[in-house]
Amino acid sequence: MATNSTAAAAAKCPGPMKATSQGAFQGENPLDYALPLAILQICLVVVVTRGLAYLLRPLRQPRVIAEIIGGILLGPSALGRSQKFLHAVFPAQSMTVLDTLANLGLLFFLFLVGLELDISAIRRTGKKALAIALAGISAPFALGIGTSFAFRATIVKGAPQGPFLVFMGVALSITAFPVLARILAELKLLTTDLGRMAMSAAAVNDVAAWILLALAIALSGSGSPIISLWVLLTAAGFVIAICLFLRPVLAWMARQSPEGEPVKEVYICATLAIVLAAGFVTDTIGIHALFGAFMVGIVVPKDGPFAGVLIEKVEDLISGLFLPLYFVSSGLKTNVATIKGAKSWGLLVLVIANACLGKIGGTVITSMLVKIPVREAVTLGFLMNTKGLVELIVLNIGRDRKVLNDESFAIMVLMALFTTFITTPIVMAIYKPARKTVPYKRRTVDCGPGDAADSSELRVLACFHSNRHIPTLLNLVEASRGTGRRRLTMYAMHLVELSERSSAISLVQRARRDGMPFFNSKEQRTEQMVVAFEAFQQLSSVRVRPMTAISDLDTIHRDVIDSAGDKRAAIVVMPYHKALHHDGSFQSLGSAYHAINKRVLREAPCSVAILVDRGLGGHAQVSAKNVSFSVAALFFGGPDDREALAYATRMAEHPGVAVTLARFQPSRLQSEEEDAADEKAVEAFKAKVGAVKDGSVRFEEPEAYTREQVVETLESLAGFNVFVVGRMPPTAPLVERPDELGPVGSYLVSQEFRTSASVLVIKRYDPATNPKSKRFDPKARPPAATDTEEDVLDEEMGSSAAVVPVTRSPMSDIA
């Protein structure tokens, strides 16, 4: 009898899975073993969540939405309805391994979240942002407690009252700080007064949410209130010990990792081991292992390269592979089918309404009390209503502690998904920050008849993706600075991708904290950038204003375009979307970089130049007195070539630059007006040739009419340092498929043309071909500001903005 009952129990409860199989050829199914099954699960999760993230990109949704939906789809709500699929891919005996991997990934992700939070910045939070944060917590917490009574009276009758009240209050009062930061960046609100207010309030909310969650976990234990009190007191002692004993140790490690030197591997290993040990301690206390990891992340010093290297070592593996497992683990526990009947759907509507009413209502009322305009207050309310990973953590812990049942868990997951999903479209609909762009006249290098070339300042917005572009950029700007005082102002904009990585948010946080203009994962590169621009400004007569644009690559062109209007730039210099290799060929950086250039060319409110970097002047910036470049200006005709010629004429003013103009006959007919304008531009250059006595400026008119003759002439000019050419000259293409560089520029960067010369391809501003730039039309705005007024505005906007500067809004006096 006993034997039969034991056999029956074994049949019902299969034994633990072995780690690895001997292979299919040995007659074993790999899916019956833990390691191959875990590999399949991870691959399936990554494919599904990344595929959904790609599909949701047009809706501008954060990746957390795709990961939550992916988890629900793989669970019993969709694909999991097939018992065959569920038992094959997510069998019950594998859930322990899956949950362990998911929680291990969650443990280190919470360590990254702690690294993102800067307690010193939270302490500096203004009184008004603090009031908004407290109202955004207390109002939904109170409504969450009220909602809990409705739940306990209907679908969770057996839940313990105290813990359930706290869990519901916490679930409704949370704001997801990392998700909010990415939504703000996506909507170009990260650096506005509204964005700064939202980030400050969300950071305070995040810390308060963890404190409340710790309270909820302590209360949810199965012991007596005395045990819960001991748990809270021990947790408080753990926090004090972390601050008193662990923080100095981590600070010592950070001091032993100076700028410019690699961080020792033993320090990285020790810190990661400390994270695991802290997780073990807090799990032993009874407040979940993730709290220990979170506290270690908070006390790690944020200055210096130490924190950045930790993020770099951990984030890709954790965020890319292991963290999505947590969402799938949650999705496998979420069965939407349990929500059935008018009662359940009514509770779903109730919890969504209360979550929105509490968070949005509390934030809006408090914002208006501190004199924030109504539209900004409503927008702030919806932004603060963003949920995310922390919400799922709360719900999963509540379910594991038997505080939430399957039905209430599914309802709360759908509430979190809905409130986060609606944030982006509603904010886009109700709030469009007014950009008070100052109208200006000089939108081209070639001054019009109303502007005197000798007295008009040239403003250049020079963009770059990495530090390898800086020497060529500085050498080009130095060569084109002209003569006299205050002839050229350079706005150097570092284009930084804001990805889903934790380091992207850390980058924004640090930029806001200390105002330094350049940040990336390599501190040594950061120092090189800062030193390069500071030295250039001191040694040259060019004024340099460094800036950083931190955005998604799909929308970063808006930062460039808006900054060109804000700074009244005459020309924007963009880096070519291909990088030079050691063999002289170019390899594309990706279609996203190509799209950035095409959008800037189409929408910029001024002329645009594409700089093809072949190392002008070598790998370092050349001092002004040592500049010695030869420039070949190719002129076929048309407005773009005239703009390129105007730029080359300016370069000819530099004593160290020799310019040769090679004029070709256009192969396409032009109007008489265009021919007359071309002749006038060439005659002006010839006058410049006559004025220069040292022979550094030359004019040539080669007899090149066919494609072969033009190519032969260009090959004879291959020894020059720089080619300057218009983007769309009236000539036949020299390559089969020209890219954004046009018919001639595309040939100059092709493998057919062997040269070490950098290439500058220029497109002249024309409202007729830049229809989206008409919003910068000065005819539709007040009279243009004077140079003095423009300089005052520049000083107000800051000379080294951490992100793309924006003009003042009604909230400027509130933050």
Side-chain angles (χ1 to χ4, degrees):
M1 230 14 223
T3 304
N4 292 337
S5 62
T6 303
K12 291 182 180 179
C13 303
M17 302 177 75
K18 293 183 179 179
T20 58
S21 71
Q22 298 182 22
F25 292 109
Q26 301 293 332
E28 294 183 349
N29 183 3
L31 296 184
D32 293 336
Y33 295 84
L35 180 62
L37 182 59
I39 293 173
L40 175 64
Q41 290 170 344
I42 292 173
C43 293
L44 180 63
V45 168
V46 170
V47 170
V48 170
T49 55
R50 289 305 175 100
L52 285 171
Y54 179 79
L55 294 176
L56 291 175
R57 284 185 70 181
L59 300 178
R60 305 175 80 172
Q61 293 293 331
R63 199 170 75 196
V64 65
I65 292 291
E67 290 171 333
I68 295 175
I69 294 176
I72 293 175
L73 291 179
L74 290 173
S77 302
L79 293 175
R81 296 176 71 88
S82 167
Q83 292 297 314
K84 187 176 182 181
F85 169 82
L86 199 62
H87 291 163
V89 182
F90 296 104
Q93 61 268 32
S94 75
M95 294 312 296
T96 301
V97 176
L98 181 65
D99 285 343
T100 301
L101 289 174
N103 280 278
L104 189 63
L106 179 66
L107 187 80
F108 280 104
F109 184 78
L110 264 294
F111 169 64
L112 296 177
V113 172
L115 285 174
E116 287 181 2
L117 281 178
D118 188 356
I119 297 298
S120 61
I122 294 177
R123 285 199 298 263
R124 296 194 300 269
T125 300
K127 294 180 179 179
K128 295 175 181 177
L130 184 61
I132 292 172
L134 294 178
I137 296 171
S138 56
F141 191 89
L143 285 177
I145 292 176
T147 307
S148 67
F149 289 106
F151 271 73
R152 292 189 74 250
T154 52
I155 62 175
V156 282
K157 296 181 180 180
Q161 182 174 357
F164 188 73
L165 297 182
V166 179
F167 267 102
M168 289 294 292
V170 173
L172 267 65
S173 60
I174 283 174
T175 295
F177 175 79
V179 178
L180 174 64
R182 288 174 175 86
I183 289 176
L184 289 169
E186 179 73 23
L187 300 178
K188 304 300 180 189
L189 299 176
L190 195 58
T191 58
T192 62
D193 296 306
L194 180 72
R196 285 190 286 269
M197 182 74 73
M199 289 283 282
S200 298
V204 175
N205 193 302
D206 221 19
V207 173
W210 289 112
I211 296 173
L212 292 172
L213 180 56
L215 174 64
I217 293 175
L219 293 176
S220 64
S222 58
S224 65
I226 299 297
I227 294 178
S228 297
L229 180 61
W230 271 111
V231 170
L232 285 175
L233 292 176
T234 311
F238 171 78
V239 173
I240 294 172
I242 285 281
C243 296
L244 292 181
F245 302 110
L246 181 60
R247 186 184 183 94
V249 173
L250 294 172
W252 179 83
M253 291 184 187
R255 287 195 301 272
Q256 300 303 310
S257 307
E259 300 279 358
E261 295 184 13
V263 178
K264 292 182 180 179
E265 185 266 345
V266 65
Y267 296 154
I268 301 295
C269 183
T271 305
L272 298 181
I274 289 171
V275 171
L276 294 173
F280 174 80
V281 172
T282 51
D283 191 78
T284 303
I285 292 172
I287 56 169
H288 207 284
L290 59 88
F291 280 96
F294 180 69
M295 282 304 304
V296 174
I298 285 181
V299 299
V300 169
K302 306 301 188 291
D303 298 323
F306 189 60
V309 171
L310 284 171
I311 292 175
E312 187 179 351
K313 297 290 185 184
V314 175
E315 67 175 338
D316 286 336
L317 180 65
I318 297 302
S319 300
L321 288 182
F322 289 106
L323 187 63
L325 293 180
Y326 190 79
F327 293 98
V328 171
S329 176
S330 302
L332 292 172
K333 303 170 188 174
T334 305
N335 189 357
V336 179
T338 59
I339 307 175
K340 52 188 176 182
K343 183 189 300 181
S344 295
W345 287 105
L347 288 173
L348 176 61
V349 173
L350 175 66
V351 74
I352 290 175
N354 283 350
C356 296
L357 181 63
K359 181 68 76 171
I360 298 172
T363 302
V364 170
I365 292 173
T366 307
S367 300
M368 294 178 66
L369 289 176
V370 296
K371 296 182 171 53
I372 292 179
V374 176
R375 179 171 293 184
E376 282 84 350
V378 174
T379 305
L380 197 57
F382 277 99
L383 288 171
M384 296 297 291
N385 198 34
T386 303
K387 309 294 182 188
L389 176 66
V390 184
E391 176 84 5
L392 282 187
I393 294 172
V394 173
L395 299 179
N396 275 283
I397 293 175
R399 189 181 184 280
D400 293 340
R401 297 293 178 102
K402 309 299 182 184
V403 176
L404 299 175
N405 60 16
D406 290 346
E407 188 174 357
S408 60
F409 180 81
I411 289 174
M412 298 301 289
V413 168
L414 291 183
M415 178 273 293
L417 184 64
F418 177 81
T419 54
T420 306
F421 190 89
I422 65 173
T423 299
T424 299
I426 289 181
V427 171
M428 289 176 62
I430 65 176
Y431 185 71
K432 291 180 173 59
R435 303 189 61 87
K436 300 179 181 178
T437 305
V438 178
Y440 64 106
K441 294 181 180 179
R442 184 164 189 181
R443 300 168 181 274
T444 60
V445 178
D446 184 14
C447 295
D451 290 322
D454 294 334
S455 61
S456 178
E457 180 189 16
L458 179 67
R459 299 182 174 219
V460 178
L461 178 63
C463 304
F464 60 97
H465 295 298
S466 67
N467 64 338
R468 69 172 179 268
H469 297 130
I470 293 178
T472 295
L473 201 58
L474 294 182
N475 290 330
L476 176 69
V477 171
E478 167 61 28
S480 54
R481 62 179 168 84
T483 58
R485 297 183 60 192
R486 296 183 71 251
R487 293 297 312 277
L488 190 147
T489 298
M490 172 190 181
Y491 298 96
M493 177 177 281
H494 187 193
L495 304 181
V496 180
E497 179 184 9
L498 180 70
S499 65
E500 294 284 347
R501 305 173 72 186
S502 298
S503 58
I505 301 303
S506 299
L507 183 151
V508 176
Q509 289 288 88
R510 294 179 59 191
R512 292 175 56 215
R513 182 176 72 245
D514 51 27
M516 293 295 286
F518 304 109
F519 294 93
N520 54 22
S521 60
K522 302 292 185 183
E523 294 292 333
Q524 186 174 2
R525 296 180 183 177
T526 296
E527 186 67 22
Q528 291 173 355
M529 290 180 181
V530 175
V531 170
F533 282 99
E534 288 180 350
F536 177 67
Q537 181 165 253
Q538 293 175 1
L539 299 176
S540 174
S541 60
V542 177
R543 292 194 303 171
V544 181
R545 305 293 179 84
M547 309 188 310
T548 300
I550 308 171
S551 294
D552 185 85
L553 290 183
D554 289 338
T555 59
I556 202 168
H557 67 283
R558 290 255 41 100
D559 297 289
V560 177
I561 293 164
D562 291 337
S563 293
D566 290 339
K567 296 302 183 183
R568 298 160 303 284
I571 187 169
V572 175
V573 180
M574 296 294 297
Y576 189 41
H577 74 277
K578 296 181 180 180
L580 182 68
H581 278 213
H582 62 277
D583 61 353
S585 63
F586 285 92
Q587 183 172 356
S588 177
L589 299 174
S591 58
Y593 292 91
H594 194 192
I596 293 171
N597 287 355
K598 291 192 290 186
R599 290 165 183 155
V600 172
L601 285 166
R602 185 170 60 247
E603 302 179 28
C606 59
S607 296
V608 179
I610 305 295
L611 175 60
V612 181
D613 182 7
R614 283 197 177 106
L616 176 63
H619 298 292
Q621 188 248 324
V622 180
S623 63
K625 62 181 180 180
N626 295 327
V627 168
S628 179
F629 301 140
S630 57
V631 178
L634 311 180
F635 189 88
F636 292 84
D640 290 352
D641 274 21
R642 292 196 295 272
E643 182 75 351
L645 181 57
Y647 198 97
T649 304
R650 187 180 184 91
M651 298 176 78
E653 297 176 8
H654 196 288
V657 178
V659 177
T660 297
L661 172 61
R663 185 182 185 185
F664 299 84
Q665 294 299 319
S667 60
R668 293 205 310 264
L669 294 177
Q670 297 187 104
S671 65
E672 294 182 1
E673 292 81 3
E674 289 292 326
D675 288 336
D678 291 345
E679 288 298 328
K680 184 177 179 182
V682 172
E683 291 301 322
F685 183 83
K686 287 182 178 179
K688 173 70 69 174
V689 172
V692 178
K693 303 300 183 183
D694 59 3
S696 62
V697 182
R698 298 170 52 211
F699 173 75
E700 297 179 0
E701 197 165 2
E703 295 185 0
Y705 303 100
T706 65
R707 178 190 180 280
E708 290 73 17
Q709 292 172 331
V710 171
V711 169
E712 183 179 353
T713 303
L714 293 180
E715 290 177 351
S716 68
L717 301 173
F720 282 79
N721 299 118
V722 184
F723 282 97
V724 181
V725 62
R727 179 171 177 259
M728 297 301 293
T731 187
L734 302 182
V735 293
E736 290 186 3
R737 295 180 179 178
D739 57 12
E740 77 264 31
L741 301 182
V744 178
S746 298
Y747 173 75
L748 296 177
V749 301
S750 66
Q751 293 188 359
E752 301 176 32
F753 187 61
R754 308 301 295 181
T755 183
S756 60
S758 296
V759 182
L760 190 69
V761 180
I762 299 178
K763 175 184 181 293
R764 182 185 175 91
Y765 170 72
D766 182 5
T769 58
N770 292 44
K772 292 188 177 182
S773 69
K774 290 184 179 179
R775 61 195 180 93
F776 296 96
D777 188 356
K779 295 180 181 179
R781 298 182 180 273
T786 63
D787 286 345
T788 303
E789 292 170 340
E790 291 175 359
D791 291 338
V792 171
L793 284 170
D794 274 350
E795 298 301 328
E796 288 179 352
M797 284 190 258
S799 61
S800 61
V803 285
V804 177
V806 294
T807 52
R808 296 174 66 84
S809 76
M811 294 184 61
S812 298
D813 301 323
I814 294 172

